[in-house]
Short mmCIF file of all heavy atoms in Angstrom, two decimals:
data_model
loop_
_atom_site.label_atom_id
_atom_site.label_comp_id
_atom_site.label_asym_id
_atom_site.label_seq_id
_atom_site.Cartn_x
_atom_site.Cartn_y
_atom_site.Cartn_z
N MET A 160 94.70 153.79 -7.75
CA MET A 160 95.60 153.97 -6.62
C MET A 160 94.81 154.64 -5.51
O MET A 160 93.99 155.51 -5.77
CB MET A 160 96.81 154.77 -7.11
CG MET A 160 97.30 155.88 -6.25
SD MET A 160 98.84 156.64 -6.80
CE MET A 160 98.28 157.83 -7.98
N ASN A 161 95.06 154.25 -4.30
CA ASN A 161 94.44 154.88 -3.13
C ASN A 161 95.37 155.97 -2.62
O ASN A 161 96.59 155.77 -2.56
CB ASN A 161 94.19 153.86 -2.03
CG ASN A 161 93.16 152.84 -2.43
OD1 ASN A 161 92.18 153.17 -3.07
ND2 ASN A 161 93.37 151.60 -2.06
N ALA A 162 94.80 157.12 -2.27
CA ALA A 162 95.59 158.23 -1.78
C ALA A 162 94.88 158.86 -0.58
O ALA A 162 93.66 158.80 -0.46
CB ALA A 162 95.78 159.28 -2.87
N THR A 163 95.67 159.45 0.29
CA THR A 163 95.14 160.21 1.42
C THR A 163 95.56 161.66 1.23
O THR A 163 96.72 161.95 0.97
CB THR A 163 95.71 159.67 2.75
OG1 THR A 163 95.34 158.30 2.88
CG2 THR A 163 95.15 160.45 3.94
N VAL A 164 94.57 162.56 1.33
CA VAL A 164 94.80 163.98 1.11
C VAL A 164 94.49 164.73 2.40
O VAL A 164 93.36 164.66 2.91
CB VAL A 164 93.91 164.52 -0.03
CG1 VAL A 164 94.20 165.99 -0.28
CG2 VAL A 164 94.06 163.69 -1.28
N LYS A 165 95.48 165.43 2.94
CA LYS A 165 95.23 166.27 4.10
C LYS A 165 94.46 167.50 3.65
O LYS A 165 94.74 168.06 2.59
CB LYS A 165 96.55 166.69 4.74
CG LYS A 165 97.31 165.53 5.32
CD LYS A 165 98.66 165.99 5.83
CE LYS A 165 99.48 164.76 6.25
NZ LYS A 165 100.88 165.08 6.40
N VAL A 166 93.49 167.92 4.46
CA VAL A 166 92.70 169.11 4.13
C VAL A 166 92.80 170.12 5.26
O VAL A 166 92.98 169.75 6.42
CB VAL A 166 91.22 168.75 3.82
CG1 VAL A 166 91.10 168.01 2.52
CG2 VAL A 166 90.59 167.93 4.93
N PHE A 167 92.68 171.39 4.91
CA PHE A 167 92.88 172.46 5.87
C PHE A 167 91.74 173.48 5.78
O PHE A 167 91.04 173.54 4.78
CB PHE A 167 94.22 173.17 5.59
CG PHE A 167 95.40 172.24 5.71
CD1 PHE A 167 95.89 171.59 4.59
CD2 PHE A 167 95.98 172.00 6.93
CE1 PHE A 167 96.96 170.72 4.68
CE2 PHE A 167 97.05 171.12 7.04
CZ PHE A 167 97.54 170.48 5.92
N ALA A 168 91.61 174.28 6.82
CA ALA A 168 90.68 175.42 6.88
C ALA A 168 89.27 175.00 6.50
O ALA A 168 88.74 174.03 7.03
CB ALA A 168 91.22 176.56 6.02
N LEU A 169 88.66 175.72 5.56
CA LEU A 169 87.27 175.46 5.18
C LEU A 169 87.08 174.06 4.61
O LEU A 169 86.05 173.42 4.84
CB LEU A 169 86.79 176.51 4.17
CG LEU A 169 85.33 176.40 3.72
CD1 LEU A 169 84.38 176.46 4.91
CD2 LEU A 169 85.01 177.48 2.71
N ALA A 170 88.06 173.55 3.91
CA ALA A 170 87.95 172.19 3.36
C ALA A 170 87.79 171.18 4.50
O ALA A 170 87.00 170.25 4.41
CB ALA A 170 89.17 171.86 2.51
N ARG A 171 88.54 171.36 5.55
CA ARG A 171 88.44 170.47 6.72
C ARG A 171 87.07 170.60 7.37
O ARG A 171 86.46 169.60 7.75
CB ARG A 171 89.53 170.80 7.72
CG ARG A 171 89.51 169.87 8.95
CD ARG A 171 90.60 170.19 9.91
NE ARG A 171 91.87 169.73 9.37
CZ ARG A 171 93.03 169.83 10.00
NH1 ARG A 171 93.10 170.39 11.19
NH2 ARG A 171 94.13 169.38 9.44
N GLN A 172 86.57 171.82 7.47
CA GLN A 172 85.25 172.03 8.07
C GLN A 172 84.16 171.37 7.24
O GLN A 172 83.28 170.70 7.77
CB GLN A 172 84.96 173.52 8.22
CG GLN A 172 85.81 174.19 9.27
CD GLN A 172 85.60 175.70 9.29
OE1 GLN A 172 84.88 176.26 8.48
NE2 GLN A 172 86.24 176.36 10.24
N LEU A 173 84.21 171.56 5.94
CA LEU A 173 83.19 170.97 5.06
C LEU A 173 83.27 169.45 5.04
O LEU A 173 82.24 168.77 4.99
CB LEU A 173 83.33 171.52 3.64
CG LEU A 173 82.99 172.99 3.45
CD1 LEU A 173 83.34 173.45 2.04
CD2 LEU A 173 81.52 173.25 3.74
N ALA A 174 84.47 168.91 5.07
CA ALA A 174 84.65 167.47 5.03
C ALA A 174 84.34 166.83 6.39
O ALA A 174 83.96 165.66 6.45
CB ALA A 174 86.08 167.12 4.62
N GLY A 175 84.51 167.60 7.46
CA GLY A 175 84.29 167.06 8.80
C GLY A 175 85.37 166.08 9.23
O GLY A 175 85.15 165.27 10.13
N GLN A 176 86.52 166.16 8.59
CA GLN A 176 87.65 165.29 8.93
C GLN A 176 88.95 165.94 8.49
O GLN A 176 88.94 166.87 7.70
CB GLN A 176 87.47 163.91 8.28
CG GLN A 176 87.24 163.97 6.78
CD GLN A 176 86.63 162.69 6.24
OE1 GLN A 176 85.75 162.09 6.85
NE2 GLN A 176 87.09 162.26 5.08
N GLU A 177 90.07 165.43 9.01
CA GLU A 177 91.38 166.01 8.75
C GLU A 177 91.99 165.55 7.44
O GLU A 177 92.91 166.19 6.92
CB GLU A 177 92.34 165.68 9.88
CG GLU A 177 91.95 166.33 11.19
CD GLU A 177 92.93 166.01 12.31
OE1 GLU A 177 93.96 165.35 12.06
OE2 GLU A 177 92.65 166.43 13.44
N SER A 178 91.52 164.43 6.91
CA SER A 178 92.06 163.93 5.65
C SER A 178 90.98 163.17 4.89
O SER A 178 89.97 162.75 5.47
CB SER A 178 93.28 163.03 5.90
OG SER A 178 92.89 161.89 6.65
N LEU A 179 91.21 163.02 3.59
CA LEU A 179 90.26 162.36 2.71
C LEU A 179 90.91 161.13 2.10
O LEU A 179 92.07 161.19 1.67
CB LEU A 179 89.86 163.29 1.57
CG LEU A 179 89.39 164.70 1.92
CD1 LEU A 179 89.18 165.51 0.64
CD2 LEU A 179 88.11 164.63 2.75
N ALA A 180 90.19 160.04 2.05
CA ALA A 180 90.63 158.86 1.33
C ALA A 180 90.07 158.98 -0.09
O ALA A 180 88.85 159.12 -0.26
CB ALA A 180 90.12 157.59 2.00
N VAL A 181 90.94 158.98 -1.08
CA VAL A 181 90.53 159.21 -2.46
C VAL A 181 91.05 158.08 -3.35
O VAL A 181 92.19 157.64 -3.19
CB VAL A 181 91.08 160.57 -2.97
CG1 VAL A 181 90.65 160.84 -4.39
CG2 VAL A 181 90.64 161.71 -2.06
N ILE A 182 90.21 157.63 -4.26
CA ILE A 182 90.62 156.63 -5.24
C ILE A 182 90.96 157.36 -6.52
O ILE A 182 90.15 158.12 -7.06
CB ILE A 182 89.50 155.61 -5.47
CG1 ILE A 182 89.19 154.89 -4.17
CG2 ILE A 182 89.91 154.61 -6.56
CD1 ILE A 182 87.94 154.03 -4.22
N LEU A 183 92.19 157.15 -7.00
CA LEU A 183 92.69 157.82 -8.20
C LEU A 183 93.07 156.79 -9.26
O LEU A 183 93.44 155.66 -8.92
CB LEU A 183 93.94 158.63 -7.87
CG LEU A 183 93.78 159.80 -6.91
CD1 LEU A 183 95.15 160.34 -6.52
CD2 LEU A 183 92.93 160.88 -7.54
N PRO A 184 93.02 157.20 -10.53
CA PRO A 184 93.54 156.30 -11.57
C PRO A 184 95.06 156.18 -11.45
O PRO A 184 95.72 157.04 -10.87
CB PRO A 184 93.14 156.99 -12.87
CG PRO A 184 92.95 158.42 -12.51
CD PRO A 184 92.51 158.45 -11.07
N GLN A 185 95.60 155.11 -11.98
CA GLN A 185 97.06 154.98 -12.02
C GLN A 185 97.62 156.14 -12.83
O GLN A 185 96.97 156.63 -13.76
CB GLN A 185 97.46 153.65 -12.66
CG GLN A 185 97.07 152.44 -11.84
CD GLN A 185 97.72 152.41 -10.46
OE1 GLN A 185 98.88 152.76 -10.29
NE2 GLN A 185 96.96 152.00 -9.47
N GLU A 186 98.81 156.58 -12.49
CA GLU A 186 99.45 157.71 -13.17
C GLU A 186 98.58 158.98 -13.13
O GLU A 186 98.49 159.72 -14.11
CB GLU A 186 99.83 157.34 -14.60
CG GLU A 186 100.78 156.16 -14.64
CD GLU A 186 101.20 155.78 -16.05
OE1 GLU A 186 101.06 156.60 -16.98
OE2 GLU A 186 101.69 154.65 -16.21
N ALA A 187 97.94 159.22 -12.01
CA ALA A 187 97.07 160.38 -11.83
C ALA A 187 97.87 161.68 -11.76
O ALA A 187 99.04 161.69 -11.38
CB ALA A 187 96.23 160.22 -10.57
N THR A 188 97.20 162.77 -12.11
CA THR A 188 97.76 164.11 -11.98
C THR A 188 96.95 164.88 -10.94
O THR A 188 95.91 164.40 -10.46
CB THR A 188 97.70 164.88 -13.31
OG1 THR A 188 96.32 165.06 -13.65
CG2 THR A 188 98.44 164.14 -14.42
N VAL A 189 97.39 166.08 -10.62
CA VAL A 189 96.64 166.92 -9.70
C VAL A 189 95.24 167.21 -10.26
O VAL A 189 94.27 167.24 -9.51
CB VAL A 189 97.41 168.22 -9.38
CG1 VAL A 189 96.55 169.21 -8.61
CG2 VAL A 189 98.67 167.89 -8.60
N ALA A 190 95.11 167.38 -11.56
CA ALA A 190 93.79 167.60 -12.16
C ALA A 190 92.88 166.39 -11.90
O ALA A 190 91.69 166.56 -11.59
CB ALA A 190 93.92 167.86 -13.66
N ASP A 191 93.43 165.19 -11.99
CA ASP A 191 92.65 163.99 -11.67
C ASP A 191 92.24 163.98 -10.20
O ASP A 191 91.13 163.58 -9.86
CB ASP A 191 93.47 162.72 -11.96
CG ASP A 191 93.79 162.54 -13.43
OD1 ASP A 191 92.92 162.83 -14.28
OD2 ASP A 191 94.92 162.11 -13.73
N LEU A 192 93.15 164.43 -9.35
CA LEU A 192 92.85 164.51 -7.92
C LEU A 192 91.71 165.49 -7.66
O LEU A 192 90.80 165.20 -6.88
CB LEU A 192 94.10 164.92 -7.14
CG LEU A 192 93.95 165.12 -5.64
CD1 LEU A 192 93.46 163.85 -4.96
CD2 LEU A 192 95.27 165.59 -5.04
N ARG A 193 91.74 166.65 -8.29
CA ARG A 193 90.64 167.62 -8.15
C ARG A 193 89.30 166.98 -8.50
O ARG A 193 88.31 167.12 -7.78
CB ARG A 193 90.86 168.78 -9.13
CG ARG A 193 91.48 169.97 -8.59
CD ARG A 193 91.52 171.06 -9.67
NE ARG A 193 92.78 171.75 -9.58
CZ ARG A 193 93.06 172.65 -8.64
NH1 ARG A 193 92.18 172.97 -7.74
NH2 ARG A 193 94.24 173.22 -8.62
N ARG A 194 89.28 166.32 -9.68
CA ARG A 194 88.03 165.67 -10.12
C ARG A 194 87.59 164.58 -9.16
O ARG A 194 86.40 164.47 -8.85
CB ARG A 194 88.20 165.10 -11.53
CG ARG A 194 88.13 166.14 -12.63
CD ARG A 194 88.09 165.50 -14.01
NE ARG A 194 89.32 164.81 -14.37
CZ ARG A 194 90.39 165.40 -14.87
NH1 ARG A 194 90.39 166.70 -15.08
NH2 ARG A 194 91.46 164.68 -15.17
N ALA A 195 88.52 163.79 -8.67
CA ALA A 195 88.18 162.70 -7.76
C ALA A 195 87.60 163.23 -6.46
O ALA A 195 86.61 162.68 -5.95
CB ALA A 195 89.42 161.85 -7.49
N ILE A 196 88.19 164.29 -5.92
CA ILE A 196 87.66 164.86 -4.68
C ILE A 196 86.25 165.40 -4.92
O ILE A 196 85.34 165.17 -4.13
CB ILE A 196 88.58 165.95 -4.11
CG1 ILE A 196 89.89 165.31 -3.62
CG2 ILE A 196 87.90 166.72 -2.98
CD1 ILE A 196 90.95 166.31 -3.20
N ALA A 197 86.06 166.13 -6.02
CA ALA A 197 84.73 166.68 -6.32
C ALA A 197 83.70 165.57 -6.48
O ALA A 197 82.56 165.71 -6.02
CB ALA A 197 84.80 167.54 -7.58
N ASP A 198 84.08 164.47 -7.13
CA ASP A 198 83.15 163.35 -7.34
C ASP A 198 82.88 162.57 -6.05
O ASP A 198 81.74 162.21 -5.77
CB ASP A 198 83.70 162.37 -8.38
CG ASP A 198 83.72 162.95 -9.78
OD1 ASP A 198 83.07 163.99 -10.02
OD2 ASP A 198 84.41 162.36 -10.65
N GLN A 199 83.93 162.32 -5.28
CA GLN A 199 83.82 161.47 -4.10
C GLN A 199 83.38 162.23 -2.84
O GLN A 199 82.90 161.61 -1.89
CB GLN A 199 85.15 160.75 -3.86
CG GLN A 199 85.49 159.80 -5.01
CD GLN A 199 86.90 159.25 -4.94
OE1 GLN A 199 87.42 158.98 -3.86
NE2 GLN A 199 87.54 159.10 -6.10
N TYR A 200 83.55 163.55 -2.84
CA TYR A 200 83.16 164.40 -1.70
C TYR A 200 82.42 165.62 -2.25
O TYR A 200 82.99 166.71 -2.34
CB TYR A 200 84.40 164.83 -0.90
CG TYR A 200 85.13 163.68 -0.26
CD1 TYR A 200 86.14 163.00 -0.94
CD2 TYR A 200 84.79 163.24 1.02
CE1 TYR A 200 86.80 161.93 -0.36
CE2 TYR A 200 85.45 162.17 1.61
CZ TYR A 200 86.45 161.52 0.91
OH TYR A 200 87.10 160.47 1.50
N PRO A 201 81.15 165.46 -2.64
CA PRO A 201 80.41 166.55 -3.30
C PRO A 201 80.38 167.86 -2.50
O PRO A 201 80.33 168.93 -3.10
CB PRO A 201 79.00 165.97 -3.44
CG PRO A 201 79.19 164.49 -3.44
CD PRO A 201 80.37 164.23 -2.55
N ALA A 202 80.45 167.80 -1.19
CA ALA A 202 80.44 169.04 -0.39
C ALA A 202 81.66 169.90 -0.67
O ALA A 202 81.65 171.11 -0.42
CB ALA A 202 80.38 168.70 1.10
N LEU A 203 82.72 169.31 -1.22
CA LEU A 203 83.96 170.04 -1.51
C LEU A 203 84.09 170.45 -2.97
O LEU A 203 85.07 171.09 -3.35
CB LEU A 203 85.17 169.20 -1.12
CG LEU A 203 85.27 168.81 0.35
CD1 LEU A 203 86.45 167.91 0.58
CD2 LEU A 203 85.38 170.06 1.21
N ALA A 204 83.12 170.08 -3.80
CA ALA A 204 83.23 170.29 -5.25
C ALA A 204 83.52 171.75 -5.61
O ALA A 204 84.41 172.01 -6.43
CB ALA A 204 81.98 169.80 -5.96
N GLY A 205 82.82 172.69 -5.06
CA GLY A 205 83.03 174.10 -5.39
C GLY A 205 84.37 174.61 -4.88
O GLY A 205 85.02 175.43 -5.53
N LEU A 206 84.80 174.11 -3.76
CA LEU A 206 86.03 174.58 -3.13
C LEU A 206 87.28 174.09 -3.86
O LEU A 206 88.22 174.85 -4.06
CB LEU A 206 86.06 174.12 -1.68
CG LEU A 206 87.23 174.61 -0.86
CD1 LEU A 206 87.02 176.07 -0.48
CD2 LEU A 206 87.39 173.77 0.37
N VAL A 207 87.30 172.82 -4.26
CA VAL A 207 88.53 172.28 -4.86
C VAL A 207 88.86 172.90 -6.20
O VAL A 207 90.01 172.87 -6.62
CB VAL A 207 88.51 170.73 -4.96
CG1 VAL A 207 88.48 170.10 -3.60
CG2 VAL A 207 87.40 170.24 -5.83
N ALA A 208 87.88 173.50 -6.85
CA ALA A 208 88.15 174.17 -8.13
C ALA A 208 89.12 175.34 -7.94
O ALA A 208 89.85 175.70 -8.86
CB ALA A 208 86.84 174.66 -8.75
N HIS A 209 89.15 175.91 -6.73
CA HIS A 209 89.99 177.09 -6.46
C HIS A 209 91.13 176.80 -5.49
O HIS A 209 91.91 177.70 -5.17
CB HIS A 209 89.12 178.21 -5.90
CG HIS A 209 87.97 178.55 -6.79
ND1 HIS A 209 88.12 179.21 -7.99
CD2 HIS A 209 86.65 178.26 -6.69
CE1 HIS A 209 86.94 179.34 -8.57
NE2 HIS A 209 86.04 178.77 -7.81
N ALA A 210 91.23 175.58 -5.02
CA ALA A 210 92.24 175.23 -4.03
C ALA A 210 93.61 175.01 -4.68
O ALA A 210 93.71 174.72 -5.87
CB ALA A 210 91.82 173.95 -3.30
N LEU A 211 94.64 175.16 -3.86
CA LEU A 211 95.99 174.78 -4.26
C LEU A 211 96.24 173.36 -3.75
O LEU A 211 95.67 172.95 -2.73
CB LEU A 211 97.03 175.71 -3.64
CG LEU A 211 97.02 177.16 -4.12
CD1 LEU A 211 98.02 177.97 -3.32
CD2 LEU A 211 97.35 177.22 -5.59
N PHE A 212 97.08 172.63 -4.45
CA PHE A 212 97.44 171.29 -4.01
C PHE A 212 98.94 171.20 -3.87
O PHE A 212 99.69 171.86 -4.59
CB PHE A 212 96.93 170.25 -5.01
CG PHE A 212 95.46 170.03 -4.91
CD1 PHE A 212 94.57 170.84 -5.59
CD2 PHE A 212 94.94 169.04 -4.10
CE1 PHE A 212 93.21 170.67 -5.47
CE2 PHE A 212 93.58 168.85 -3.98
CZ PHE A 212 92.70 169.67 -4.66
N ALA A 213 99.37 170.39 -2.91
CA ALA A 213 100.79 170.16 -2.69
C ALA A 213 101.07 168.66 -2.75
O ALA A 213 100.26 167.85 -2.29
CB ALA A 213 101.22 170.71 -1.34
N ILE A 214 102.21 168.34 -3.34
CA ILE A 214 102.71 166.97 -3.37
C ILE A 214 104.04 166.98 -2.64
O ILE A 214 104.96 167.71 -3.03
CB ILE A 214 102.91 166.48 -4.82
CG1 ILE A 214 101.60 166.54 -5.61
CG2 ILE A 214 103.51 165.07 -4.83
CD1 ILE A 214 101.76 166.24 -7.09
N ASN A 215 104.12 166.19 -1.57
CA ASN A 215 105.35 166.12 -0.77
C ASN A 215 105.85 167.51 -0.37
O ASN A 215 107.02 167.85 -0.56
CB ASN A 215 106.42 165.32 -1.50
CG ASN A 215 105.99 163.88 -1.70
OD1 ASN A 215 105.29 163.30 -0.87
ND2 ASN A 215 106.39 163.29 -2.82
N ALA A 216 104.92 168.33 0.14
CA ALA A 216 105.19 169.67 0.68
C ALA A 216 105.63 170.70 -0.36
O ALA A 216 106.18 171.73 -0.02
CB ALA A 216 106.21 169.60 1.82
N GLU A 217 105.36 170.44 -1.64
CA GLU A 217 105.66 171.39 -2.71
C GLU A 217 104.38 171.68 -3.48
O GLU A 217 103.69 170.73 -3.90
CB GLU A 217 106.69 170.79 -3.69
CG GLU A 217 108.01 170.43 -3.06
CD GLU A 217 109.06 171.51 -3.22
OE1 GLU A 217 108.90 172.37 -4.11
OE2 GLU A 217 110.01 171.48 -2.44
N TYR A 218 104.06 172.96 -3.67
CA TYR A 218 102.89 173.28 -4.47
C TYR A 218 103.02 172.64 -5.85
O TYR A 218 104.12 172.58 -6.39
CB TYR A 218 102.70 174.79 -4.62
CG TYR A 218 102.23 175.45 -3.35
CD1 TYR A 218 103.01 176.40 -2.71
CD2 TYR A 218 101.00 175.11 -2.78
CE1 TYR A 218 102.58 177.01 -1.54
CE2 TYR A 218 100.57 175.71 -1.61
CZ TYR A 218 101.36 176.65 -1.00
OH TYR A 218 100.93 177.24 0.15
N ALA A 219 101.90 172.18 -6.39
CA ALA A 219 101.93 171.43 -7.65
C ALA A 219 100.89 171.96 -8.62
O ALA A 219 99.76 172.27 -8.22
CB ALA A 219 101.70 169.96 -7.39
N ALA A 220 101.26 172.04 -9.89
CA ALA A 220 100.34 172.43 -10.96
C ALA A 220 99.41 171.27 -11.28
O ALA A 220 99.68 170.11 -10.93
CB ALA A 220 101.14 172.81 -12.21
N ASP A 221 98.32 171.58 -11.96
CA ASP A 221 97.35 170.54 -12.32
C ASP A 221 97.96 169.43 -13.18
O ASP A 221 97.46 168.31 -13.18
CB ASP A 221 96.15 171.15 -13.06
CG ASP A 221 95.11 171.72 -12.11
OD1 ASP A 221 95.31 171.66 -10.87
OD2 ASP A 221 94.09 172.22 -12.59
N THR A 222 99.02 169.73 -13.90
CA THR A 222 99.65 168.73 -14.77
C THR A 222 100.66 167.85 -14.04
O THR A 222 101.17 166.89 -14.62
CB THR A 222 100.35 169.42 -15.94
OG1 THR A 222 101.31 170.35 -15.42
CG2 THR A 222 99.36 170.14 -16.85
N ALA A 223 100.93 168.15 -12.78
CA ALA A 223 101.94 167.39 -12.03
C ALA A 223 101.47 165.97 -11.76
O ALA A 223 100.34 165.76 -11.31
CB ALA A 223 102.25 168.09 -10.71
N PRO A 224 102.33 164.99 -12.02
CA PRO A 224 101.97 163.60 -11.71
C PRO A 224 102.03 163.35 -10.21
O PRO A 224 102.83 163.97 -9.49
CB PRO A 224 103.04 162.80 -12.44
CG PRO A 224 104.20 163.71 -12.57
CD PRO A 224 103.63 165.10 -12.65
N ILE A 225 101.20 162.45 -9.74
CA ILE A 225 101.17 162.09 -8.32
C ILE A 225 101.82 160.72 -8.16
O ILE A 225 101.25 159.71 -8.61
CB ILE A 225 99.72 162.07 -7.80
CG1 ILE A 225 99.10 163.46 -7.94
CG2 ILE A 225 99.70 161.60 -6.34
CD1 ILE A 225 97.63 163.52 -7.60
N PRO A 226 102.98 160.67 -7.53
CA PRO A 226 103.63 159.37 -7.33
C PRO A 226 102.91 158.57 -6.23
O PRO A 226 102.31 159.14 -5.32
CB PRO A 226 105.04 159.73 -6.90
CG PRO A 226 104.99 161.13 -6.45
CD PRO A 226 103.79 161.78 -7.06
N ALA A 227 102.97 157.26 -6.34
CA ALA A 227 102.38 156.40 -5.31
C ALA A 227 103.02 156.72 -3.96
O ALA A 227 104.22 156.96 -3.87
CB ALA A 227 102.61 154.94 -5.67
N GLY A 228 102.20 156.78 -2.93
CA GLY A 228 102.69 157.05 -1.58
C GLY A 228 103.01 158.49 -1.28
O GLY A 228 103.56 158.79 -0.22
N ALA A 229 102.67 159.40 -2.19
CA ALA A 229 102.98 160.82 -1.98
C ALA A 229 102.18 161.40 -0.82
O ALA A 229 101.06 160.97 -0.53
CB ALA A 229 102.69 161.61 -3.25
N ASP A 230 102.75 162.39 -0.17
CA ASP A 230 102.08 163.17 0.86
C ASP A 230 101.31 164.28 0.14
O ASP A 230 101.93 165.16 -0.46
CB ASP A 230 103.12 163.74 1.83
CG ASP A 230 102.50 164.51 2.97
OD1 ASP A 230 101.34 164.24 3.33
OD2 ASP A 230 103.19 165.40 3.52
N LEU A 231 99.98 164.22 0.17
CA LEU A 231 99.14 165.16 -0.57
C LEU A 231 98.39 166.10 0.36
O LEU A 231 97.96 165.69 1.44
CB LEU A 231 98.11 164.39 -1.43
CG LEU A 231 98.69 163.37 -2.40
CD1 LEU A 231 97.58 162.56 -3.04
CD2 LEU A 231 99.54 164.06 -3.45
N ALA A 232 98.23 167.34 -0.07
CA ALA A 232 97.49 168.32 0.72
C ALA A 232 96.64 169.20 -0.19
O ALA A 232 97.06 169.54 -1.30
CB ALA A 232 98.44 169.19 1.52
N CYS A 233 95.47 169.55 0.30
CA CYS A 233 94.55 170.47 -0.38
C CYS A 233 94.47 171.72 0.48
O CYS A 233 94.05 171.65 1.65
CB CYS A 233 93.18 169.81 -0.51
SG CYS A 233 91.90 170.92 -1.13
N ILE A 234 94.89 172.84 -0.09
CA ILE A 234 94.91 174.11 0.63
C ILE A 234 93.92 175.07 -0.02
O ILE A 234 94.16 175.57 -1.12
CB ILE A 234 96.33 174.72 0.63
CG1 ILE A 234 97.32 173.73 1.25
CG2 ILE A 234 96.36 176.03 1.40
CD1 ILE A 234 98.35 173.23 0.33
N PRO A 235 92.78 175.30 0.64
CA PRO A 235 91.78 176.17 0.04
C PRO A 235 92.18 177.63 0.11
O PRO A 235 93.05 178.01 0.91
CB PRO A 235 90.54 175.91 0.90
CG PRO A 235 91.07 175.49 2.22
CD PRO A 235 92.37 174.77 1.92
N PRO A 236 91.56 178.46 -0.74
CA PRO A 236 91.85 179.89 -0.65
C PRO A 236 91.40 180.44 0.72
O PRO A 236 90.43 179.93 1.29
CB PRO A 236 91.03 180.51 -1.79
CG PRO A 236 90.06 179.48 -2.20
CD PRO A 236 90.57 178.15 -1.73
N VAL A 237 92.10 181.41 1.21
CA VAL A 237 91.75 182.03 2.49
C VAL A 237 91.57 183.52 2.28
O VAL A 237 92.10 184.09 1.33
CB VAL A 237 92.82 181.77 3.58
CG1 VAL A 237 92.88 180.30 3.93
CG2 VAL A 237 94.16 182.28 3.15
N SER A 238 90.81 184.12 3.16
CA SER A 238 90.64 185.57 3.09
C SER A 238 90.90 186.13 4.47
O SER A 238 90.93 185.41 5.46
CB SER A 238 89.22 185.92 2.62
OG SER A 238 88.27 185.44 3.53
N GLY A 239 91.07 187.38 4.53
CA GLY A 239 91.31 188.03 5.81
C GLY A 239 92.37 189.09 5.66
O GLY A 239 92.88 189.33 4.57
N GLY A 240 92.72 189.68 6.75
CA GLY A 240 93.68 190.76 6.64
C GLY A 240 94.74 190.72 7.65
O GLY A 240 95.07 189.88 8.36
#
C-alpha cells in the first residue's frame, strides 16, 4: 500500500520536504511504518525510533493498524522550555 506521511520539526528538516511517500505492506501497523521510513529515508532512521505517530489525528501505538487512505503524521520529540 502507498501512504503519505506528514512530517514536522526536525523530521521535516532532515527529509527536506513536508511529507514522505512510503510503501507499506498490506495490513501494515505503525511499527511497519517506522521500519519503512527508516529503510526508505535513511536520514530519518535515528529519529523515527523515538517519534510519535498519528493516524487520522489520533496518536497511535506501534500495534495500531493503518487503514488504507489514512491521514498519517510523524511527530518527532521536541525539546525546549
Side-chain angles (χ1 to χ4, degrees):
M160 135 173 85
N161 294 321
T163 300
V164 183
K165 295 175 187 164
V166 290
F167 300 93
L169 182 57
R171 182 179 286 182
Q172 291 174 355
L173 292 173
Q176 53 199 40
E177 294 181 4
S178 62
L179 309 174
V181 181
I182 299 170
L183 296 171
Q185 293 299 321
E186 301 181 18
T188 64
V189 171
D191 295 321
L192 177 59
R193 263 184 220 284
R194 283 189 293 277
I196 291 173
D198 291 345
Q199 296 170 37
Y200 296 89
L203 299 176
L206 184 76
V207 295
H209 305 288
L211 293 175
F212 285 85
I214 301 172
N215 297 327
E217 300 264 340
Y218 288 118
D221 277 1
T222 57
I225 299 173
D230 183 26
L231 304 173
C233 172
I234 302 116
V237 294
S238 62

